[in-house]
Amino acid sequence: MGAQLRVYKRRIKSVTATKKITKAMEMIAASRIVKAQRQVAASTPYATELTRAVTAVATGSNTKHPLTTEADAPVRAAILLITSDRGLAGGYSANAIKAAEQLTERLRGEGKEVDTYIVGRKGVSYYGFRERKVTESWTGFTDNPTYADAKNVAGPLIEAVQLDTAEGGVDELHIVFTEFISMLTQTPVQNRLLPLSLEKAAEESGTKGEILPLFDFEPSAEDVLDALLPRYVESRIYNALLQAAASKHAATRRAMKSATDNAGELIKSLSRLANAARQAEITQEISEIVGGANALADATAGSDK
């Protein structure tokens, strides 16, 4: 067997093994998307109703609270960026990071300091490589987040919102994550969690244009908002984590399908090259045999004379 033919066969074997791996990863990602979609669908009604309750309390009271009140001159904002712990998902994490960078530039352009909180090793690695300050980070659960994970992430953010800016607190809380729209479409979004925009909250909860009933608050509207604040932030972060997980699995499935298809095309191309090399080798062998036979025939004819 010729050296060139051996090279082609070795490459075909290697690409075939890679194709099996990418196909398996595609199937695993596809199975995980279904579970992630169910979790998103299950968490959305809770987040919507909680937003509806917050809207009702804020509309029915004149209490100034970090959950609903804009700062007169906001000077500091926090951004929670949700990325992935793993790669092999195309531009999933890169697109989320790009959206966070754009938001950071906009907030700094408004004269605000920005504290960055990150979920996922990809985001942590990006900021660490560029030696940028990260206030706090979490890793290890982006593929299958739980409500306990959302509470762990929400804790420092709620504390920062409740503190005065002179003590390291923030006036605004933003979240950047990838929203799952369909199996083919996942879009990075920038949402401001706090202070809550009542108009946007009413639109999300389906109460826009609706006349809300009057409420009596016990013990007070401020205490009710204090109780709702952590629940609201936790539910929103949990929903964002689930949306991001579903988006990541969809991106992985798409990337692995593309890799599998490319491997198949490469195997076809290498097979054609291997066949051409084999044919050239056979042709050369036939030519050598015919040439040797002719030479032998000529030598025999010469000796007979």
Side-chain angles (χ1 to χ4, degrees), residues 14 36 49 103 117 128 131 164 196 204 207 209 244 260 271:
S14 175
E49 287 302 316
L103 177 59
Y117 298 77
E131 298 182 351
D164 189 85
L196 178 65
E204 291 179 356
T207 59
T260 302
S271 297

Side-chain angles (χ1 to χ4, degrees), residues 4-20 263-275:
Q4 191 65 36
L5 184 58
R6 283 196 297 269
V7 170
Y8 288 139
K9 287 186 175 295
R10 191 181 303 117
R11 289 191 63 189
I12 290 172
K13 184 178 180 180
S14 175
V15 174
T16 301
T18 302
K19 182 181 177 182
K20 291 180 181 179
E265 292 299 320
L266 184 56
I267 289 172
K268 290 180 182 178
S269 177
L270 291 172
S271 297
R272 284 194 292 266
L273 291 173
N275 290 337

Side-chain angles (χ1 to χ4, degrees), residues 115-190:
D115 293 342
T116 305
Y117 298 77
I118 300 178
V119 174
R121 290 190 180 93
K122 289 299 178 180
V124 173
S125 298
Y126 177 88
Y127 279 75
F129 180 77
R130 287 158 181 77
E131 298 182 351
R132 297 182 183 176
K133 181 182 177 182
V134 176
T135 305
E136 196 157 348
S137 62
W138 301 265
T139 60
F141 55 81
T142 57
D143 281 356
N144 187 27
T146 64
Y147 195 82
D149 297 323
K151 289 187 69 174
N152 290 335
V153 174
L157 295 169
I158 294 170
E159 183 180 351
V161 169
Q162 292 173 330
L163 285 175
D164 189 85
T165 52
E167 300 174 352
V170 298
D171 298 309
E172 298 176 359
L173 172 58
H174 300 258
I175 183 170
V176 178
F177 66 98
T178 306
E179 182 180 11
F180 181 86
I181 298 173
S182 68
M183 295 287 284
L184 298 177
T185 308
Q186 302 85 42
T187 307
V189 295
Q190 308 166 359

Side-chain angles (χ1 to χ4, degrees), residues 7-41:
V7 170
Y8 288 139
K9 287 186 175 295
R10 191 181 303 117
R11 289 191 63 189
I12 290 172
K13 184 178 180 180
S14 175
V15 174
T16 301
T18 302
K19 182 181 177 182
K20 291 180 181 179
I21 295 172
T22 56
K23 184 64 177 178
M25 294 181 68
E26 177 190 347
M27 295 175 66
I28 291 171
S31 66
R32 288 177 176 174
I33 293 173
V34 177
K35 180 181 178 182
Q37 283 181 292
R38 290 174 181 170
Q39 289 178 317
V40 171

Side-chain angles (χ1 to χ4, degrees), residues 24-259:
M25 294 181 68
E26 177 190 347
M27 295 175 66
I28 291 171
S31 66
R32 288 177 176 174
I33 293 173
V34 177
K35 180 181 178 182
Q37 283 181 292
R38 290 174 181 170
Q39 289 178 317
V40 171
S43 70
T44 300
Y46 175 76
T48 301
E49 287 302 316
L50 195 54
T51 303
R52 183 186 181 95
V54 172
T55 305
V57 176
T59 304
S61 70
N62 296 321
T63 303
K64 288 189 176 182
H65 192 275
L67 183 59
T68 58
T69 306
E70 296 271 358
D72 294 331
V75 296
R76 180 174 291 172
I79 296 178
L80 174 63
L81 168 62
I82 299 178
T83 62
S84 175
D85 285 322
R86 303 180 183 182
L88 301 178
Y92 165 77
S93 292
N95 292 335
I97 291 171
K98 183 179 179 181
E101 294 278 76
Q102 292 172 348
L103 177 59
T104 299
E105 290 180 9
R106 178 171 65 81
L107 292 174
R108 286 177 176 165
E110 296 172 357
K112 301 171 186 174
E113 296 181 27
V114 178
D115 293 342
T116 305
Y117 298 77
I118 300 178
V119 174
R121 290 190 180 93
K122 289 299 178 180
V124 173
S125 298
Y126 177 88
Y127 279 75
F129 180 77
R130 287 158 181 77
E131 298 182 351
R132 297 182 183 176
K133 181 182 177 182
V134 176
T135 305
E136 196 157 348
S137 62
W138 301 265
T139 60
F141 55 81
T142 57
D143 281 356
N144 187 27
T146 64
Y147 195 82
D149 297 323
K151 289 187 69 174
N152 290 335
V153 174
L157 295 169
I158 294 170
E159 183 180 351
V161 169
Q162 292 173 330
L163 285 175
D164 189 85
T165 52
E167 300 174 352
V170 298
D171 298 309
E172 298 176 359
L173 172 58
H174 300 258
I175 183 170
V176 178
F177 66 98
T178 306
E179 182 180 11
F180 181 86
I181 298 173
S182 68
M183 295 287 284
L184 298 177
T185 308
Q186 302 85 42
T187 307
V189 295
Q190 308 166 359
N191 286 344
R192 193 183 76 173
L193 293 185
L194 298 174
L196 178 65
S197 171
L198 295 182
E199 182 178 351
K200 184 176 180 181
E203 185 177 344
E204 291 179 356
S205 60
T207 59
K208 188 174 183 179
E210 180 182 335
I211 300 176
L212 298 174
L214 297 177
F215 292 94
D216 288 329
F217 304 108
E218 182 65 33
S220 67
E222 185 175 1
D223 290 331
V224 172
L225 287 172
D226 283 339
L228 287 175
L229 173 61
R231 303 292 177 269
Y232 169 76
V233 176
E234 290 166 7
S235 67
R236 283 298 174 184
I237 290 177
Y238 181 51
N239 187 263
L241 288 171
L242 293 176
Q243 293 263 9
S247 299
K248 189 268 178 185
H249 295 318
T252 298
R253 176 185 174 276
R254 190 166 58 250
M256 292 301 100
K257 184 179 187 307
S258 178

